Amino acid sequence: MATRTEFKNPLIRWVDDRLPVFTYLDHEYNQFPMPKNLNYWWNFGALASVVLVLMIVTGIVLAMQYTAHVDLAFESVDRIRRDVNYGWLLQYIHMNGASMFFIVVFIHLFRGMYYGSYKAPRELLWMLGVVIVLLMMGTSFMGYVLPWGQMSFWGATVITNLFSAIPWVGDAIVTWLWGGFSVDNPTLNRFFALHYLLPFVLFAVVGLHVVAVHVTGSNNPTGIDVQAPRDTVSFHPYFTAKDSVGLVAFLMFFAAVVFFAPNLFGEPDNYIKANPLQTPAHIVPEWYFLPFYAILRAVPHKLLGVIAMFASIAVLFVLPWLDRSKVRSANYRPIHNGLFWIFLADCLFLGYIGANPAEGWFVWGGRIGTIWYFAHFLVLVPLVSMFERPRPLPASISEPVLKEKR
Amino acid sequence: MRTMRSLVIAAAAVLAGVTGVQAAGEKIELPDRNWSWQGPIGSFDRAELQRGLQVYTEICASCHSLRLVAYRNLEALGYGEEEIKAYALNYEIHDGPNDQGEMFTRPAIPSDRFVPPFPNEQAARASNNGAYPPDLSLMTKARKNGANHLFGLLMGYADEPPEGFELMDGMSYNRYFPGHQIAMPPPLYEGGVEYADGTEATVEQMAVDVTAFLAWTAEPELEERKSLGIWVLAYLAGLFVIMVAVKRRVWSDVKK
């Protein structure tokens, strides 16, 4: 940001001389050079930030109508749907927005894995992304408790109880988390407070994530660095236009769910008011937690299960150092490429296991899936990255594109 | 790579198909009716809803509350203000205190929510052999495949349990209820109500009507939601075409 942009409008110039926000916007969102070969998988970061804003806006309006009390929360959410003007729309957008957020972010994450976007110099960018996923999980978990349905209550009970696995102090920690001796009014109140707070923390970390990507620049499908201006195009209008195509397509999917199948991702049990005396037949977390839930249950020891579950995310932090290959994009790494797709299938498989009761073949199925999950990161990726012979890389971003055309 | 990708897609498709099946316990095949409100442009049948209200009022309401629905909401069923006032007048509400500090009862008015049959859960259990008749406001959303579940439940009573089935005292056998033992005795019988519009009150007719009514109480926004959704999707589809054109135009000068 060394050079200032010259603006014609005197008011803008006056502001910019004192606080260079317009120069910043011009540099980062107008002239900013982007690799010209980005495909549509690069849309999902922008989509995620749109969903985040949508969640914050709908969430603030919902909070104006919501009552965080065990006797009133369930009814107040139902009243939002029945009696608030377009309350059903707000509530369904917010409720399904959480699922949309995870769909978009998971695709964004797998895209980063496939194209090696976590490798130098983007390690911090990647790690901030993992922090974002963790914050999203905390926020959505607490948000799911707020409607105070059966799954809200029992999901909160099961998840907070995980902390009781910590030796010696576990039970004390759980009591401290609950603000009592079971999930109750104090729990609901603090979850509401934190559910309102965390999205803003999330927003700040997203800000850092964006700053970081503007320092290193975007990775691209070839995974090789930008070498000359002819490899890039400016952010505006090229990527504002391309992101808009993806955004509208995504909004169509989002709208189709909100307007025609608003309860597609939900559990019917959450339309039953929380009842501490009656446990539902199956306690299932929201779909985006299912793979992690499967890992938790795969380990036949409570503490180790909890550790495995947290480790399944934590391992992502060190992925940049587990993968030793200098080549970023899996397009040029035949074995790593295969591993990636098997890993993706394994995550889907674990999700399927997590949705089913821990009995019969689901038990050992979950164990095999879990072992593969960790073996992928801790054994296969490091080994393959050391011994694999990558295919020859193109000399520049512009080159493979030229070849394809011929 | 392409084969790997198609493998993953195939695996995902298989998983999506299999998750629909209940893994635990015996699988209960629910009836599969074509309900008028299903599908992207489905809507409620007003006559069906009105008959359903009658079934609820005359049969279900003696045990089941509908505490999230207000009498004024019945406007959506096609009733006028006076009809709703008259309907609400049939119910007494415990209210107060008045300016003398006394509690009193008064007839319900349209802004009141449906008056529950029992003052509290204990009273409900005491009158129902220990079982608690659940509130019905959200019932079709609170069960998987809610409408068919409810319809099946109402139609699924058998006079005699299958041979070898141990039925507990005071319970009824029901084909569609999980575990097949239900505390609710068969609520519907031939001619259980005398329909105001002259429709013959068969058990199936009443079950269909009350299911429709309860689908409406659970999702009163359904018609507005779907009709708005069509416009939103049409708008976005138009916008999509424009954005694709804009993108192509913008990118046309980029040398590949």
Side-chain angles (χ1 to χ4, degrees):
Chain A
M1 224 194 279
T3 52
R4 292 281 176 82
T5 311
E6 282 299 316
F7 293 99
K8 284 210 182 81
N9 185 318
L11 181 63
I12 288 185
R13 201 163 56 219
W14 188 89
V15 174
D16 203 65
D17 286 343
R18 285 151 184 84
L19 185 72
V21 282
F22 294 103
T23 292
Y24 171 79
L25 287 175
D26 182 52
H27 282 200
E28 303 301 320
Y29 290 100
N30 186 23
Q31 305 174 11
F32 191 74
M34 301 281 286
K36 67 180 182 185
N37 60 336
L38 297 190
N39 54 35
Y40 275 102
W41 296 114
W42 261 265
N43 268 185
F44 287 86
L47 297 185
S49 56
V50 170
V51 181
L52 175 60
V53 171
L54 205 57
M55 291 302 276
I56 289 180
V57 171
T58 52
I60 289 173
V61 183
L62 286 172
M64 295 175 188
Q65 311 282 353
Y66 171 75
T67 310
H69 187 284
V70 290
D71 292 335
L72 303 169
F74 183 83
E75 284 80 0
S76 80
V77 174
D78 192 72
R79 279 206 169 202
I80 288 172
R81 279 190 297 259
R82 279 175 208 272
D83 292 341
V84 173
N85 292 329
Y86 290 99
W88 57 267
L89 183 55
L90 280 170
Q91 203 269 338
Y92 280 154
I93 289 176
H94 196 75
M95 185 175 94
N96 287 296
S99 287
M100 295 298 151
F101 205 176
F102 276 99
I103 291 174
V104 165
V105 163
F106 283 154
I107 293 176
H108 189 58
L109 195 154
F110 279 112
R111 191 272 288 153
M113 284 179 79
Y114 182 86
Y115 292 109
S117 301
Y118 47 83
K119 292 185 191 179
R122 297 185 182 83
E123 304 97 320
L124 259 184
L125 171 63
W126 170 262
M127 291 162 84
L128 284 166
V130 181
V131 172
I132 289 171
V133 173
L134 281 173
L135 280 169
M136 279 173 65
M137 288 178 162
T139 308
S140 64
F141 162 65
M142 287 190 245
Y144 192 58
V145 177
L146 302 186
W148 207 243
Q150 274 288 67
M151 280 300 163
S152 302
F153 179 88
W154 290 99
T157 302
V158 170
I159 301 298
T160 47
N161 252 318
L162 295 180
F163 291 92
S164 70
I166 301 168
W168 304 301
V169 290
D171 287 327
I173 286 178
V174 172
T175 306
W176 177 74
L177 285 175
W178 284 341
F181 298 101
S182 67
V183 173
D184 207 337
N185 205 48
T187 328
L188 178 59
N189 273 290
R190 61 188 57 186
F191 277 20
F192 181 44
L194 292 174
H195 183 69
Y196 206 110
L197 169 70
L198 285 182
F200 296 97
V201 179
L202 189 57
F203 198 86
V205 181
V206 169
L208 295 177
H209 192 68
V210 170
V211 170
V213 78
H214 279 245
V215 172
T216 60
S218 290
N219 184 24
N220 67 81
T222 63
I224 56 178
D225 289 325
V226 168
Q227 288 153 352
R230 68 174 197 139
D231 291 344
T232 66
V233 290
S234 60
F235 189 86
H236 182 72
Y238 296 98
F239 280 97
T240 39
K242 194 163 184 170
D243 282 348
S244 299
V245 172
L247 177 62
V248 176
F250 165 67
L251 288 179
M252 287 173 79
F253 172 61
F254 196 161
V257 173
V258 164
F259 288 101
F260 298 103
N263 296 306
L264 180 68
F265 296 109
E267 275 297 316
D269 278 56
N270 230 27
Y271 284 111
I272 305 170
K273 189 175 176 172
N275 182 354
L277 300 177
Q278 192 177 37
T279 320
H282 301 293
I283 301 177
V284 216
E286 288 279 82
W287 69 266
Y288 37 81
F289 290 133
L290 290 175
F292 309 103
Y293 192 53
I295 290 173
L296 168 77
R297 293 188 309 181
V299 184
H301 181 275
K302 193 174 175 188
L303 178 59
L304 293 179
V306 174
I307 291 173
M309 185 178 68
F310 283 106
S312 65
I313 305 267
V315 71
L316 293 173
F317 279 112
V318 288
L319 178 60
W321 294 276
L322 293 172
D323 183 353
R324 313 273 293 270
S325 171
K326 289 274 177 280
V327 177
R328 293 198 189 98
S329 171
N331 279 349
Y332 303 98
R333 301 182 56 191
I335 305 175
H336 184 82
N337 190 320
L339 276 184
F340 170 86
W341 292 105
I342 297 172
F343 176 72
L344 178 56
D346 186 47
C347 290
L348 293 173
F349 175 71
L350 281 171
Y352 168 67
I353 297 285
N356 282 289
E359 58 193 30
W361 76 271
F362 296 121
V363 177
W364 54 260
R367 286 183 189 152
I368 292 171
T370 301
I371 290 168
W372 186 273
Y373 185 98
F374 286 103
H376 174 83
F377 286 115
L378 300 175
V379 182
L380 299 169
V381 163
L383 277 182
V384 167
S385 68
M386 279 184 266
F387 298 111
E388 180 185 42
R389 266 189 53 189
R391 281 205 283 267
L393 289 172
S396 77
I397 287 177
S398 300
E399 190 200 326
V401 191
L402 289 170
K403 241 190 237 158
E404 257 169 49
K405 228 177 170 188
R406 227 184 288 141
Chain B
M1 173 174 155
R2 185 145 303 159
T3 47
M4 279 315 297
R5 187 179 295 173
S6 44
L7 253 178
V8 169
I9 292 168
V14 168
L15 293 186
V18 183
T19 24
V21 182
Q22 265 301 351
E26 154 213 30
K27 176 154 163 54
I28 299 174
E29 199 74 52
L30 286 175
D32 187 17
R33 266 187 86 88
N34 275 330
W35 302 99
S36 68
W37 61 88
Q38 287 174 337
I41 52 167
S43 62
F44 292 116
D45 174 345
R46 291 293 175 283
E48 210 170 73
L49 294 186
Q50 294 199 358
R51 288 195 301 269
L53 171 66
Q54 198 185 340
V55 175
Y56 169 76
T57 309
E58 293 177 19
I59 298 173
C60 319
S62 53
C63 297
H64 291 278
S65 58
L66 203 59
R67 64 196 169 86
L68 301 175
V69 184
Y71 295 115
R72 64 181 157 78
N73 297 141
L74 294 177
E75 220 173 285
L77 268 56
Y79 292 109
E81 211 174 311
E82 292 308 313
E83 288 171 291
I84 294 172
K85 267 187 194 162
Y87 181 90
L89 276 178
N90 295 325
Y91 300 91
E92 291 268 295
I93 280 201
H94 195 61
D95 203 350
N98 62 14
D99 50 12
Q100 302 298 307
E102 312 278 341
M103 301 302 283
F104 58 91
T105 55
R106 59 164 176 85
I109 55 173
S111 61
D112 286 315
R113 309 238 153 197
F114 271 65
V115 178
F118 301 105
N120 51 56
E121 184 180 333
Q122 287 79 355
R125 284 189 190 278
S127 307
N128 285 286
N129 205 8
Y132 180 46
D135 185 83
L136 296 182
S137 318
L138 290 169
M139 195 46 86
T140 60
K141 281 208 281 191
R143 298 287 182 272
K144 272 209 173 88
N145 195 358
N148 286 319
H149 176 93
L150 188 60
F151 175 73
L153 194 80
L154 291 170
M155 300 288 292
Y157 283 93
D159 293 337
E160 289 292 325
E163 233 166 285
F165 189 90
E166 284 280 339
L167 201 58
M168 286 198 301
D169 221 22
M171 305 291 268
S172 302
Y173 182 85
N174 191 301
R175 280 197 293 281
Y176 299 110
F177 194 69
H180 301 302
Q181 301 212 47
I182 185 166
M184 173 169 73
L188 304 176
Y189 51 91
E190 203 72 22
V193 298
E194 199 172 312
Y195 276 129
D197 65 0
T199 307
E200 199 191 336
T202 61
V203 170
E204 183 173 0
Q205 183 69 46
M206 289 185 286
V208 168
D209 292 343
V210 81
T211 301
F213 173 69
L214 292 175
W216 169 76
T217 65
E219 296 185 280
E221 87 297 340
L222 181 138
E223 291 175 344
E224 191 192 4
R225 169 159 62 76
K226 290 185 175 179
S227 62
L228 182 58
I230 298 280
W231 286 107
V232 169
L233 281 186
Y235 172 83
L236 288 173
L239 189 61
F240 182 72
V241 172
I242 295 172
M243 290 329 294
V244 169
V246 167
K247 190 253 163 191
R248 288 200 175 157
R249 182 79 177 271
V250 165
W251 281 77
S252 60
D253 65 344
V254 178
K255 276 201 208 83
K256 283 253 174 168

